[in-house]
Amino acid sequence: MDLATLYEALGVPEEAGPAELLFAARRQHYTLPYLVLSAVARHGVEMSDAARGELDRARRRARRYESVLAEVSARVAVRPVKGPLLARYYPDGLLRPQGDLDLLVDNERDLWRVVRLLLEDEPLYLGVSMLGTPTRHLVVTMTWTPEDSLLDPEIRVEVATAALVGDYRGVPIRPALPDDAFVASLLALGEERFQRPFHARDAIDVHVLGQVQPQPSTAQLVAAVEEYRLAPEVRELLAFTAERLSPGALTSLGEALQAPAARELSRRTAHPVSVGPTRQVPAALADGSPLYGMPLRRVAGRSGWDSVRTHLFGDDVLLLTPVGDYLLVTDEVVGQERYDAALRELESDRIAEETP
């Protein structure tokens, strides 16, 4: 992959020049300028101090994520998802666009071990989400101020007990990823379709994967995609890529997924929708629908805790974790009365009986 590939991926004529390419990258995704700037530098294009400064910060940002992964991996069994796995396939000198660092752990105990390690760096934000039943899964999001808080996106690390969470309807949670990094990366890219439409960064990632040699056979990839219930999404991803860039060795996979995608869509149609637009929190907790923790307070002194506890009061639920307490919600907006009631409940004798 080179600078010409990026012109093609972003739909910019080469004669328009690198400035127009960078402008298009900023419109597509906030991390794409990192890749474009690194390609511009690799190509030997003259850069201003401002442009080189942005690239230098992006490289330091990438090294910070690498450092976090190395430090955590030395003490807890974690596995990176997508970002660092895909970055290894990019040519030397090119920055794979990475907005955050996603870490996968095997169990809740290890999740809180990772979180406690990251808390030593004093994050600005610490959020917790919960989903799944009968097996409960957690996602913890932590953010830090970037090097340049006016120009750069926040530093963000997510730690989860589930690799792929599905669509909360017909596609279930799949806790683990395949051992093969190539297969895991392709599946994680397809899974993104449940959260958003595909964009240029996804096509670039697929193009890079398509150049990897050797790689799993088409039959092996079809089997993995079917097992993970992602045939429609991966097929759409490959078609999206083919409109912009060559999928390389992955070209045949799209055709091979035609029948599996049809079967998977049929299976989903027959699956009852379990998540409605208005969910009461206790009901959502019972059926495994996603719940988001509104931070109420951070806590210390729960060193003996290695799992969360839930506390029902009225129509609401508190999530008591080893590092903080949260009000579980299904909506983005919470009224002041509800918030105040949650704070009062935290100070009640009922909570005192359940916590150290």
Side-chain angles (χ1 to χ4, degrees):
M1 186 177 67
D2 55 16
L3 200 55
T5 306
L6 296 181
Y7 278 108
E8 188 178 358
L10 296 174
V12 178
E14 286 197 50
E15 58 269 23
E20 185 63 29
L21 180 65
L22 186 59
F23 183 72
R26 294 193 195 282
R27 290 201 311 266
Q28 290 270 347
H29 193 266
Y30 72 95
T31 63
L32 270 175
Y34 306 155
L35 173 58
V36 171
L37 286 169
S38 66
V40 166
R42 190 169 182 257
H43 196 68
V45 176
E46 185 176 352
M47 299 173 67
S48 67
D49 290 342
R52 190 161 293 284
E54 183 175 359
L55 177 57
D56 289 344
R57 292 197 310 276
R59 293 194 188 283
R60 288 192 291 270
R61 177 189 181 88
R63 288 196 294 270
R64 178 169 179 176
Y65 282 139
E66 291 170 0
S67 175
V68 169
L69 177 58
E71 291 174 8
V72 170
S73 299
R75 301 171 68 178
V76 186
V78 300
R79 183 176 182 184
V81 179
K82 206 171 64 166
L85 297 182
L86 284 162
R88 70 176 62 174
Y89 299 118
Y90 273 66
D92 290 342
L94 291 187
L95 274 178
R96 190 265 169 183
Q98 183 178 351
D100 57 10
L101 176 64
D102 295 316
L103 301 176
L104 176 65
V105 294
D106 291 333
N107 53 68
E108 189 177 341
R109 177 177 176 271
D110 283 347
L111 178 139
W112 294 116
R113 289 177 64 198
V114 172
V115 170
R116 287 188 172 105
L117 289 174
L118 295 176
L119 274 174
E120 295 175 5
D121 200 20
E122 300 182 351
L124 292 176
Y125 173 78
L126 173 61
V128 183
S129 300
M130 182 165 60
L131 66 157
T133 187
T135 301
R136 178 182 63 210
H137 288 282
L138 296 171
V139 180
V140 175
T141 302
M142 309 175 78
T143 65
W144 292 263
T145 302
E147 182 176 340
D148 190 321
S149 59
L150 291 178
L151 297 177
D152 301 333
E154 65 189 8
I155 302 294
R156 186 170 69 251
V157 177
E158 286 197 351
V159 191
T161 58
L164 308 175
V165 301
D167 63 356
Y168 312 121
R169 294 173 171 83
V171 181
I173 294 171
R174 286 129 305 152
L177 284 170
D179 292 335
D180 186 279
F182 183 99
V183 178
S185 297
L186 182 63
L187 295 174
L189 286 172
E191 178 82 4
E192 289 287 344
R193 188 62 183 89
F194 293 132
Q195 282 75 54
R196 56 167 175 80
F198 292 126
H199 53 61
R201 185 182 66 170
D202 305 308
I204 294 168
D205 281 338
V206 171
H207 172 77
V208 170
L209 286 177
Q211 314 310 308
V212 174
Q213 292 296 336
Q215 60 180 258
S217 68
T218 297
Q220 290 173 310
L221 292 174
V222 169
V225 170
E226 281 198 278
E227 179 185 354
Y228 278 77
R229 307 291 192 187
L230 285 169
E233 289 69 36
V234 173
R235 189 163 187 261
E236 180 184 341
L237 173 62
L238 293 168
F240 178 86
T241 300
E243 293 174 356
R244 293 154 181 82
L245 295 170
S246 168
L250 290 172
T251 300
S252 61
L253 180 58
E255 182 64 25
L257 286 174
Q258 181 175 358
R263 289 194 297 269
E264 174 61 17
L265 290 174
S266 177
R267 186 195 67 80
R268 294 179 196 177
T269 300
H271 193 284
V273 175
S274 61
V275 180
T278 56
R279 301 289 299 167
Q280 295 298 315
V281 173
L285 184 66
D287 68 19
S289 300
L291 287 164
Y292 311 98
M294 168 176 275
L296 298 174
R297 65 182 182 186
R298 293 192 191 179
V299 298
R302 294 179 182 171
S303 58
W305 286 35
D306 57 12
S307 63
V308 301
R309 306 175 188 182
T310 55
H311 172 83
L312 278 69
F313 68 106
D315 293 327
D316 273 309
V317 180
L318 293 178
L319 182 69
L320 312 177
T321 83
V323 296
D325 296 327
Y326 299 81
L327 174 66
L328 288 177
V329 299
T330 58
D331 303 312
E332 294 182 0
V333 179
V334 174
Q336 187 66 47
E337 290 185 6
R338 187 178 173 194
Y339 177 78
D340 292 341
L343 291 178
R344 288 195 299 271
E345 187 68 16
L346 280 179
E347 301 300 327
S348 71
D349 293 339
R350 293 178 293 276
I351 291 292
E353 294 171 357
E354 299 178 16
T355 58

